[in-house]
Amino acid sequence: MNHQAAPSSDAAFLSAFHHVATIGATDNNGVDRQALTPEDKQTRDWMRAWAESHGFEVRVDAIGNMFACLQLIPDESSTSTDGAHAEAADPAAPVSSADTSAAPYVLIGSHLDSQPLGGRFDGAYGVIAALFAALRVKEELAESGLQPTFNLAVVNWFNEEGGRFAPSIMGSSVYAGLFDLEEMLAVTDLEGTSVSEALNAIGYAGSDTPPEAITYAEIHIEQGRILEREATDIGVVEASWYTQKLDIDVLGEQSHTGATAMADRHDALVAASKVVLAVAEVVDDFEDEALVSSVGQHVVEPNSPIVVPRRVHMVADLRSSDPAIVQAARDSLRAQIAEIARAHDITINARDFDIRDKRHFPTEGVELAEKAVANEGLSIRRLETMAGHDSVAMNHRVPAVMMFVPSVDGVSHCEREFTTDEDMLRGVRVLTSVAGELVRG
Ligand code: HGY
Ligand code: MN
Ligand code: MN
Ligand code: MN
């Protein structure tokens, strides 16, 4: 008897997910698969092999996004998009160089890259769920004989996390026309390696034309504790928060920690420490949890025990559901930073970057998710996403649907991140239902 699980079965999904979780695994149940590292290459190689063995055509575009394409509609009977299904794309987002030879594609997916010492579920769950949902949609079409209106592709977006190459949500933002391709290829990591060099180093500097998207759907872990607290199976995103980063360079003067008189020191790290506290404490100027802020990246130069630091480079992350709150906090921080620089007689440069507007998701997509969840006999609630996702970029380009499954303890971007197999499988079923609806148009 063939004990091999059916290709698109729950058992096959769990086997695939838990295999990928071993790639770049850390000692404490996490993963470390930053963009374009050897570990990222290994997951990309896995996705290519799995997809090709299941009948997908794999394409890699110029920024390293990977697309596993199912051409459900033979070219001659392609449907020209009269735009009936796609809301007008965001005029601000120029057309991506997508392939318009075939019928447009419903894109479903997420990202395989992780944060350093990150979790096994963030992103990877959404890509593997999408691979299996695509297989199930193909099987359902074959069984039902229903004609699809659009093709279907699964995407692994390049560098959603932005831990190595900033800004985050990079590959999907290039695809959506929000970021310039050449500019992003030139971005370097802290060692000075560029995206372009790193893509070539792992053999994923693509030149394929990406499929043209008509809609986008993504499933992801919530990374917060709302669904768990309310014992709800699925979340559907109504809006993404307003977010921005502050790139801060604190420039003091390098000197000897022993021989230099205190009065003569221009210690970048002392001033930087006051900036870190200001970023943490600015939230107190607003209602509880209305603003979230932290400094995540903090690099001291030259970082030697008996040298007064000459420079600290840091990045602050500010987020709120209300754009005015982030802007007020940013202005307050700029004033405090100027005061700290004056008091310490040093220079501090602060640059706004990676600003993402608050954006609502189309109601049709929210209602489509609610219908799919009801059909599965599951519970659902609407919510806003504080975390950034590739759907936030794609929502500028095509109508996007973003859904969540519960996170245990609401933790993420850490090795303790966890979602149960049952919750993951529910998400695959819902994504399959949503993708099937979108493909039928
Ligand atoms: O920005 C974010 O929240 C995502 O994790 N990259
Ligand atoms: Mn993610
Ligand atoms: Mn993340
Ligand atoms: Mn900088």
Side-chain angles (χ1 to χ4, degrees), residues 35-350:
L36 307 185
T37 57
E39 294 74 21
D40 184 32
K41 171 178 171 39
Q42 276 183 272
T43 52
R44 287 166 168 267
D45 293 348
W46 172 85
M47 176 178 166
R48 176 190 289 281
W50 188 94
E52 288 175 346
S53 68
H54 287 82
F56 293 76
E57 174 222 349
V58 174
R59 301 187 206 174
V60 181
D61 73 7
I63 193 70
N65 295 317
M66 288 179 77
F67 301 88
C69 306
L70 283 179
Q71 185 153 358
L72 303 171
I73 304 166
D75 277 351
E76 64 284 353
S77 62
S78 290
T79 321
S80 67
T81 35
D82 56 7
H85 299 278
E87 273 173 10
D90 181 332
V95 178
S96 59
S97 58
D99 169 11
T100 52
S101 63
Y105 284 75
V106 171
L107 280 194
I108 58 177
S110 192
H111 61 91
L112 287 171
D113 69 309
S114 82
Q115 288 293 342
L117 301 178
R120 291 173 283 161
F121 301 82
D122 179 356
Y125 164 60
V127 172
I128 300 164
L131 289 168
F132 279 78
L135 264 193
R136 293 180 183 181
V137 167
K138 187 179 166 191
E139 288 163 1
E140 286 167 7
L141 287 171
E143 280 152 27
S144 67
L146 286 175
Q147 270 312 308
T149 308
F150 302 112
N151 289 310
L152 180 59
V154 175
V155 55
N156 163 30
W157 295 113
F158 159 65
N159 191 31
E160 190 278 346
E161 293 292 11
R164 179 182 177 194
F165 298 107
S168 59
I169 315 181
M170 190 181 277
S172 50
S173 294
V174 169
Y175 178 90
L178 303 177
F179 288 175
D180 174 73
L181 171 64
E182 294 312 320
E183 244 179 77
M184 292 302 119
L185 287 171
V187 165
T188 56
D189 64 12
L190 293 178
E191 277 69 54
T193 306
S194 71
V195 165
S196 174
E197 288 162 339
L199 280 169
N200 282 299
I202 66 164
Y204 277 91
S207 55
D208 298 331
T209 306
E212 182 205 358
I214 187 83
T215 50
Y216 178 70
E218 179 169 354
I219 196 146
H220 198 284
I221 55 171
E222 180 200 336
Q223 300 176 298
R225 55 174 79 238
I226 296 172
L227 296 179
E228 179 184 60
R229 193 174 54 212
E230 298 182 2
T232 302
D233 298 318
I234 301 287
V236 58
V237 176
E238 288 187 286
S240 51
W241 275 28
Y242 184 97
T243 66
Q244 80 149 83
K245 308 283 190 308
L246 259 183
D247 183 297
I248 303 166
D249 270 332
V250 182
L251 305 170
E253 200 172 275
Q254 187 163 326
S255 58
H256 196 302
T257 53
T260 313
M262 289 309 285
D264 295 338
R265 295 185 189 197
H266 297 272
D267 188 327
L269 185 50
V270 171
S273 307
K274 291 183 178 175
V275 172
V276 170
L277 288 176
V279 170
E281 291 163 4
V282 72
V283 301
D284 300 335
D285 300 346
F286 306 94
E287 264 181 60
D288 260 10
E289 301 301 335
L291 171 76
V292 293
S293 66
S294 277
V295 169
Q297 193 170 56
H298 186 274
V299 181
V300 181
E301 286 178 7
N303 205 28
S304 162
I306 54 174
V307 175
V308 175
R310 67 173 177 197
R311 176 179 181 247
V312 175
H313 176 246
M314 63 179 111
V315 177
D317 183 359
L318 305 171
R319 305 187 188 204
S320 175
S321 174
D322 178 353
I325 288 180
V326 172
Q327 287 149 6
R330 188 266 322 273
D331 294 346
S332 162
L333 284 172
R334 282 186 171 284
Q336 294 180 64
I337 286 170
E339 180 45 34
I340 292 166
R342 192 200 54 74
H344 288 261
D345 188 20
I346 58 170
T347 304
I348 307 181
N349 299 319

Side-chain angles (χ1 to χ4, degrees), residues 379-429:
S379 55
I380 187 169
R381 63 153 283 165
R382 299 183 180 193
L383 40 69
E384 294 190 346
T385 181
M386 301 163 75
H389 298 288
D390 294 305
S391 63
V392 170
M394 285 303 285
N395 195 27
H396 284 264
R397 183 83 205 104
V398 293
V401 186
M402 182 70 191
M403 298 171 285
F404 290 152
V405 291
S407 289
V408 172
D409 279 351
V411 296
S412 182
H413 283 194
C414 64
E415 294 168 297
R416 210 159 63 79
E417 182 182 279
F418 187 73
T419 291
T420 66
D421 286 353
E422 295 71 28
D423 281 337
M424 284 203 284
L425 292 172
R426 288 189 193 102
V428 177
R429 294 206 325 261

